[in-house]
Amino acid sequence: MPYLTQLADVARRTAYPVTEVAGWQSRGHGPQPEVKGIVCHHTAGPPGGGDYPSLAVVRDGRPGLDGPVSQFGLGRSGHIYLIAAGRCWHNAPSTSAAHANSSSLGIEAENDGTQPWPDVQKEAYVRLCAELCREFRLPASRVKAHREANAAKPDPHSIDVNDPS
């Protein structure tokens, strides 16, 4: 599979605002080999500081983890940030072959890991996952919380990705 340059069109189908972060079309740790799953995260970023203060970390990485960390960022307002079209380091080690870095897409939603989720952000999360499932012909069961695909992780806090409501 090449770099997934159709991701901007997929994100726009949610009807939420989309920002294409400069360089996203060629950003990644090589092409994305396949898409068999989606992994939902929270950034564990700062509790304040705007809509998506974790953008630089998700795009560029942090000590011990090279960026990009995830293909998508999701702001508190529901705004979608398209960060990378290639493979990202968002889930290793994975407990699921369908959710490893080389076989899944990552969404990093802005949240410090304790704060309540704004309704608009939760709705954008659902819509983005649904559109990605539609695009890659995945069943909803292929959307996993990070904690379901990596036993050492707690995110995204208080969101049950298996609850259809």
Side-chain angles (χ1 to χ4, degrees), residues 51-75:
D51 190 51
Y52 200 68
S54 298
L55 175 60
V57 171
V58 176
R59 182 190 60 216
D60 303 329
R62 57 176 169 69
L65 182 63
D66 292 339
V69 174
S70 218
Q71 285 85 1
F72 293 96
L74 183 58

Side-chain angles (χ1 to χ4, degrees), residues 22-116:
W24 76 271
Q25 293 173 317
S26 59
R27 185 176 293 117
H29 303 282
Q32 181 65 37
E34 59 188 351
V35 179
K36 292 184 175 181
I38 300 162
V39 182
C40 299
H41 307 263
H42 68 240
T43 60
D51 190 51
Y52 200 68
S54 298
L55 175 60
V57 171
V58 176
R59 182 190 60 216
D60 303 329
R62 57 176 169 69
L65 182 63
D66 292 339
V69 174
S70 218
Q71 285 85 1
F72 293 96
L74 183 58
R76 294 178 173 114
S77 68
H79 195 115
I80 297 167
Y81 296 83
L82 188 46
I83 297 166
R87 181 175 33 225
C88 295
W89 301 151
H90 66 93
N91 188 38
S94 181
T95 58
S96 163
H99 296 88
N101 292 323
S102 292
S103 57
S104 66
L105 300 178
I107 304 169
E108 287 278 354
E110 190 66 55
N111 190 289
D112 72 358
T114 64
Q115 59 198 162

Side-chain angles (χ1 to χ4, degrees), residues 81-165:
Y81 296 83
L82 188 46
I83 297 166
R87 181 175 33 225
C88 295
W89 301 151
H90 66 93
N91 188 38
S94 181
T95 58
S96 163
H99 296 88
N101 292 323
S102 292
S103 57
S104 66
L105 300 178
I107 304 169
E108 287 278 354
E110 190 66 55
N111 190 289
D112 72 358
T114 64
Q115 59 198 162
W117 293 93
D119 289 340
V120 67
Q121 188 180 29
K122 287 192 300 187
E123 177 61 27
Y125 222 152
V126 169
R127 286 191 193 176
L128 181 56
C129 288
E131 291 300 335
L132 290 168
C133 284
R134 187 172 292 116
E135 179 70 18
F136 295 102
R137 296 182 175 98
L138 302 173
S141 63
R142 289 292 180 93
V143 177
K144 298 290 183 197
H146 195 195
R147 66 181 171 273
E148 294 177 294
N150 184 321
K153 299 297 182 175
D155 57 312
H157 89 86
S158 72
I159 290 180
D160 180 355
V161 299
N162 299 302
D163 181 5
S165 61

